[in-house]
Amino acid sequence: MNTIAVVGAGTMGNGIAQVASEAGYNVLLCDINEKGLNNGLNRIEKTLRRNVEKEKIDQSTADAIRNRITATLHIEDVKEADVVIEAIIEKIEPKKELFSKLDQVCKPSAIFASNTSGLSVTEMAGAVSRSSQVIGTHFFNPVPVMPLVEVVRGEQTSDETFETAHRLVKEFNKTAISVEDAPLFAVNRILVPMINEAIFVLGEGVASAEDIDEGMKLGASHPIGPLALADLIGLDTTLLVIETLYTETNDSKYRPAPLLKKYVRAGRLGRKTGEGFYSYR
């Protein structure tokens, strides 16, 4: 494999593109929105500059990483990619539509991987003629820093695709855990209800946001509090993930906290809008 395409240049997509390039791959970073694509490239360049300043890499290495990344607004340009990793909005229908388009554009041997944080890999695979070549590769935010990737096996995923995904994750200098296709997989199945419960605690006035987060950091040894983590993830994304778990399991214990819905409706989405459970302005 020589070329990896990443579709979606947002927070997750640009991070995946960076680690793929750091592993020595030629990378195609694709997005339908020019502003979003430029923002993704700027984020990569900012991260590389910071790594040079901290002497983690030298300037020539940073330049080589950036030069292996090619940006495009046209999905047809990924036709020769060996692996395509989608990192678009966390909704099942847009992901299925994208995979259907990729199925027509890409070479028959190409593997399709989804960065979904909890949607059905099996259902996505049903949208293409190469269902055995579809797999989940759930990276964690921020991608260049976080060491974990959940490799999620759909019902139709072949052993060869599964092994290739594991090898790729290792080349990205990440650690893979193997997960069967299920709502929210393993990590988020445990983590997201905790975040949701923290929002319930805040909404009920049990404790302030600062005290909830301080309590979980000092009392449970978490590196970041659940509310600050929700702000980092994005409250809109957090809500989508919780709603997925609630819908898929039909279990009332997973119902989204009303305060979370309220903040999303108000446009308070966390760090990316400057306001969430905390202010970042």
Side-chain angles (χ1 to χ4, degrees):
M1 295 189 296
N2 297 308
T3 303
I4 292 175
V6 181
V7 182
T11 300
M12 299 301 292
N14 67 66
I16 295 169
Q18 180 184 323
V19 298
S21 179
E22 288 173 348
Y25 285 95
N26 295 316
V27 180
L28 291 164
L29 182 59
C30 180
D31 201 295
I32 60 172
N33 181 281
E34 186 172 6
K35 181 179 178 181
L37 187 58
N38 289 333
N39 286 343
L41 293 172
N42 290 337
R43 175 75 178 271
I44 293 169
E45 289 165 0
K46 181 179 179 181
T47 302
L48 293 175
R49 277 199 307 271
R50 188 165 60 245
N51 288 345
V52 171
E53 290 167 1
K54 292 182 177 180
E55 299 184 347
K56 292 181 178 180
I57 57 174
D58 57 31
Q59 188 60 54
S60 63
T61 300
D63 292 340
I65 292 169
R66 175 62 185 87
N67 290 337
R68 282 193 290 268
I69 301 172
T70 301
T72 180
L73 294 168
H74 307 291
I75 196 69
E76 295 80 10
D77 291 342
V78 310
K79 62 183 179 181
E80 294 301 320
D82 299 296
V83 176
V84 183
I85 303 173
E86 74 80 14
I88 64 171
I89 187 171
E90 187 67 359
K91 292 185 178 180
I92 191 69
E93 290 305 323
K95 290 181 185 292
K96 287 165 63 177
E97 289 171 11
L98 172 61
F99 275 176
S100 181
K101 289 179 184 177
L102 291 170
D103 199 30
Q104 300 172 37
V105 169
C106 295
K107 59 186 180 183
S109 60
I111 290 173
F112 296 164
S114 173
N115 182 56
T116 178
S117 56
L119 297 173
S120 173
V121 174
T122 300
E123 184 172 349
M124 291 181 216
V128 301
S129 61
R130 61 184 85 193
S131 57
S132 65
Q133 293 161 231
V134 178
I135 195 162
T137 50
H138 175 213
F139 292 79
F140 288 75
N141 185 32
V143 177
V145 176
M146 296 296 282
L148 179 68
V149 178
E150 286 182 305
V151 176
V152 185
R153 186 169 195 154
E155 182 66 27
Q156 311 97 317
T157 306
S158 69
D159 290 342
E160 183 180 0
T161 299
F162 188 67
E163 290 162 7
T164 298
H166 269 272
R167 185 171 69 250
L168 197 62
V169 168
K170 187 175 182 180
E171 289 175 359
F172 285 2
N173 198 29
K174 304 293 183 186
T175 298
I177 61 171
S178 301
V179 183
E180 293 297 318
D181 193 16
L184 269 59
F185 313 139
V187 175
N188 278 344
R189 178 70 174 270
I190 300 165
L191 178 65
V192 168
M194 183 199 71
I195 294 173
N196 194 41
E197 194 62 29
I199 301 170
F200 269 112
V201 170
L202 178 65
E204 292 168 9
V206 176
S208 68
E210 292 81 2
D211 284 347
I212 291 167
D213 279 357
E214 193 74 356
M216 293 306 295
K217 286 191 291 182
L218 299 181
S221 296
H222 290 196
I224 185 173
L227 301 176
L229 179 56
D231 277 353
L232 179 62
I233 295 168
L235 301 192
D236 52 342
T237 301
T238 301
L239 179 58
L240 282 173
V241 173
I242 293 171
E243 287 178 332
T244 296
L245 183 57
Y246 182 40
T247 301
E248 288 290 324
T249 62
N250 199 30
D251 192 329
S252 62
K253 72 181 180 182
Y254 297 128
R255 69 196 186 284
L259 183 61
L260 177 59
K261 289 184 175 181
K262 182 179 179 180
Y263 277 19
V264 171
R265 288 166 180 163
R268 293 177 59 168
L269 307 182
R271 286 181 177 270
K272 60 186 172 184
T273 60
E275 195 80 25
F277 295 111
Y278 297 95
S279 178
Y280 304 92
R281 299 189 186 283

